[in-house]
Every structure is written in C-alpha cells, then in structure tokens.
Amino acid sequence: MQAELAKHQARIESAGYDVVAPPVPGQQFDEDQLIELLPGVVGVIAGDDPFTERVFDNAPDLKVLAKWGIGMDAIDLPAAAAHGVDVMNTPGMFGNEVADCAMTYVLNLARHVVVIHERNNNGEWFKPEGMTLSGQTMGILGFGNIGQSLGRRALAFGMNVLAFDPAPAAASVAAEMGVQMADLDTIARTSRFVVSTAPLTPETFHLVDAEFLSKMRADAYVVNVGRGPIVDEAALTQALDEGRIAGAGLDVFEVEPLPATSTLRHRDNVLLGSHNGSNTHEGVVRTSARAVENLLTALAKVSS
Ligand SMILES: NC(=O)c1ccc[n+]([C@@H]2O[C@H](COP(=O)([O-])OP(=O)(O)OC[C@H]3O[C@@H](n4cnc5c(N)ncnc54)[C@H](O)[C@@H]3O)[C@@H](O)[C@H]2O)c1
C-alpha cells in the first residue's frame, strides 16, 4: 500500500485527514509498535499487523480498520467490535494472483524447474523425470475466490479437481465448474497435489497435520498459499524426512519471515516463498484503491 500511497494521499487529505505512513519494519508492525503509533489515529489501512485486544485497548481514537487484503486472522474481530472499531477487508481482490502463485508451485514441482536451473548454474546438465499434469488430481482445501481461480487453472491443464469447503456456496460453484466436492480423507488419499487456499481459523489450524500427511500418496505434494499454520510444519518435516510425500511448495509459514534454522530449508523437493503470492503490480494497484475507498467510506459513516 505504501508504494501506492502518493496516488491516494490528496484524496484522503481532501476528506479532512492527515496521513502518516511510518516505515514498516519487515513484513508488519508488532503489538508494541502499533500501540506506540495508534494514539491520535482514527483510521488505519493495515496489512497482517496484529490488531489484538491489547492493541485495541491502547488505540483510543481508532474508529476504522481497513484491511489491505483478505485474511483477517491477525485481527481480533470480537475485540474490534467491543471497542466500536469498524473492520472491513478487500474480498475477491487476489483470486487470480494467488492462484497464479499456487500454479507456479505446482508446475515447478511437477517439472523440477528450480532444481534444474540451480544445477545448470553449477555446470550440471540435470535431466530429472517430471510429471504430466494432465490426468493428475489436485485437491483444494478452501474453495473461495483463490481456490476457484486455482480450480479453473488446474482444469485447463487437464487435471481432475477435488475441493474441500464447508460453505454451501462453494459446492454450487464447484458443480458448475466440474469440480467435485470431497472430504479430507479422499483428498489426502487421492491427490497428487494438495493445495491449501483456506483462511486461517480455529478449524483450519493444522488442517494438514500428521494424520492427514500419513494418508497422502508417497508421490504427492503439499502446496500452501493460504496461511502458514494451516500446515503443521513439524509433521511436514517428518513426512519429508521419511520420504512419505514427494515434496512441498510453501508461500506461507507458521513463523514469518521463515527462521534461518527452519527444517524446511535446503531441500531439492521443497520450494520456499516469502508470503508474496498476492504481490503483483496489478493486484497492488487494485487492492490499494479498494482499501482507500473502504477506509474513506467507513470514516464518512462514523463521522456523520
Ligand atoms: N499467499 C498470499 O499472499 C495470500 C494472499 C491473499 C490471501 N491469502 C489467504 O488466502 C485465504 C483465502 O482467500 P480467498 O480470497 O479465497 O478468500 P474467500 O473468503 O473467498 O475464500 C475462503 C474459502 O475458505 C473456506 N473455508 C472456511 N473455513 C474452511 C475450512 N475449515 N475448511 C475448508 N475451507 C474453509 C470458505 O468457506 C471460503 O469458501 C485468505 O483468507 C488468506 O489467508 C494468501
């Protein structure tokens, strides 16, 4: 958002607000930094910053929290409501972007592109056998905007697509698309790629756990573009160490940035991202405009 701020600053100021954009340390502020910054602030456009009860307790002027993006897992929504803070996100903004990112992991894992590239740079002419995507099964956990965009891509590659999502709306879209709703057991046992595109909730925490991984095929891959804690990384490490699955592609992690000591590092069969699935020029432009719109609309409502 900060890269786009100059385009929107005059509009925000003409609505009567001063704009402050303190440099973000790394991926997001921590609680103490937010508490220091928030007094005097009536509206915020936030990334994945932790808006906990303690933060709301110490933000006496805050009226509106406009989430830049979709996942609201870093925001304590009941605490926001108790403090009278209006919270909204930008739904539907990153369907194509994050689906492209997931498909990038799928294609790279199927054809070992990164490994070949690295070996070529080291002077080696490496020719590992890959996988034909057409005819393979992809199981998608969470069939919302991103899951459906990914499903369309996988179908276009000739894959069979299964989806797990408790929402009735997901089932009706799946039926129209030719995607089959399935339970977790079926997805674990039959998919060559299990892709998480779900939000982080108490129900999705460690959805891909030791039990799920134990049911997976030995030639199957886990891809996670939803939220890190959906996959139990300790259980994933063990499954990889024991060769019980073929590999993984991870855009998101239980702790971000990924610690240098992570047991997932330095494996030819694991692709590591940097929670960057939504980060395209077009996506940033679109989402920033929507977040500003959301912020100003909500501020106008609370001040009227
Ligand atoms: N990697 C990235 O950069 C990146 C970027 C944007 C979003 N995300 C993540 O992707 C998530 C999904 O985004 P979206 O736009 O598709 O959201 P969405 O709201 O359109 O879809 C989420 C879907 O997940 C389903 N769901 C909820 N609980 C579930 C459960 N227990 N099991 C299975 N499915 C469940 C919902 O019913 C819904 O259909 C976001 O919440 C965010 O965490 C990641």
Side-chain angles (χ1 to χ4, degrees):
M1 173 70 221
Q2 292 198 355
E4 284 290 295
L5 185 58
K7 288 186 196 163
H8 302 284
Q9 184 146 352
R11 183 171 170 217
I12 303 171
E13 286 172 351
S14 70
Y17 300 99
D18 293 329
V19 176
V20 286
V24 183
Q27 186 163 275
Q28 67 252 324
F29 293 107
D30 65 24
E31 277 186 314
D32 290 336
Q33 290 162 335
L34 287 176
I35 287 167
E36 199 175 310
L37 290 166
L38 285 172
V41 171
V42 291
V44 170
I45 294 177
D48 289 326
D49 313 275
F51 276 83
T52 58
E53 180 155 27
R54 187 164 83 88
V55 169
F56 286 116
D57 283 342
N58 288 281
D61 306 299
L62 190 61
K63 299 275 181 290
V64 175
L65 177 51
K67 167 75 212 282
W68 188 102
I70 299 147
M72 306 265 258
D73 46 283
I75 304 171
D76 184 334
L77 294 172
H83 286 78
V85 178
D86 196 4
V87 182
M88 71 292 301
N89 64 350
T90 57
M93 283 289 107
F94 291 129
N96 286 325
E97 287 75 15
V98 183
D100 285 350
C101 175
M103 209 61 210
T104 302
Y105 284 111
V106 169
L107 285 161
N108 274 279
L109 290 165
R111 303 306 299 267
H112 312 295
V113 179
V114 175
V115 181
I116 294 171
H117 166 80
E118 282 172 351
R119 300 279 181 97
N120 205 334
N121 271 338
N122 289 331
E124 198 181 332
W125 197 241
F126 184 49
K127 295 170 80 73
E129 189 175 80
M131 179 207 307
T132 302
L133 283 185
S134 181
Q136 306 291 354
T137 296
M138 176 187 287
I140 302 178
L141 307 178
F143 202 60
N145 277 291
I146 296 170
Q148 291 163 23
S149 297
L150 175 62
R152 279 191 285 277
R153 283 157 177 71
L155 290 169
F157 275 84
M159 300 181 80
N160 308 314
V161 182
L162 306 178
F164 172 75
D165 191 312
S172 56
V173 176
E176 278 167 30
M177 283 174 61
V179 167
Q180 204 184 317
M181 297 308 289
D183 57 26
L184 284 176
D185 192 69
T186 306
I187 286 185
R189 289 186 196 285
T190 58
S191 304
R192 279 307 282 284
F193 291 93
V194 172
V195 187
S196 160
T197 65
L200 177 60
T201 66
E203 291 75 34
T204 62
F205 177 82
H206 285 185
L207 193 61
V208 178
D209 60 3
E211 189 192 343
F212 185 99
L213 289 159
S214 73
K215 295 176 187 168
M216 283 180 64
R217 298 166 50 146
D219 59 1
Y221 294 88
V222 170
V223 174
N224 189 8
V225 294
R227 280 287 184 268
I230 294 170
V231 175
D232 178 343
E233 287 179 7
L236 178 64
T237 298
Q238 202 174 346
L240 290 163
D241 285 347
E242 292 169 7
R244 287 191 279 104
I245 64 167
L250 307 167
D251 187 50
V252 287
F253 303 94
E254 293 199 87
V255 177
E256 295 179 1
L258 185 68
T261 53
S262 169
T263 51
L264 294 166
R265 288 185 185 277
H266 308 300
R267 295 169 186 266
D268 275 354
N269 59 347
V270 178
L271 297 176
L272 303 174
S274 56
H275 196 155
N276 204 41
S278 61
N279 192 8
T280 69
H281 174 71
E282 294 76 6
V284 168
V285 167
R286 185 193 316 123
T287 303
S288 299
R290 174 67 71 84
V292 170
E293 190 65 43
N294 285 348
L295 176 76
L296 292 180
T297 304
L299 282 174
K301 230 187 282 168
V302 293
S303 58
S304 64

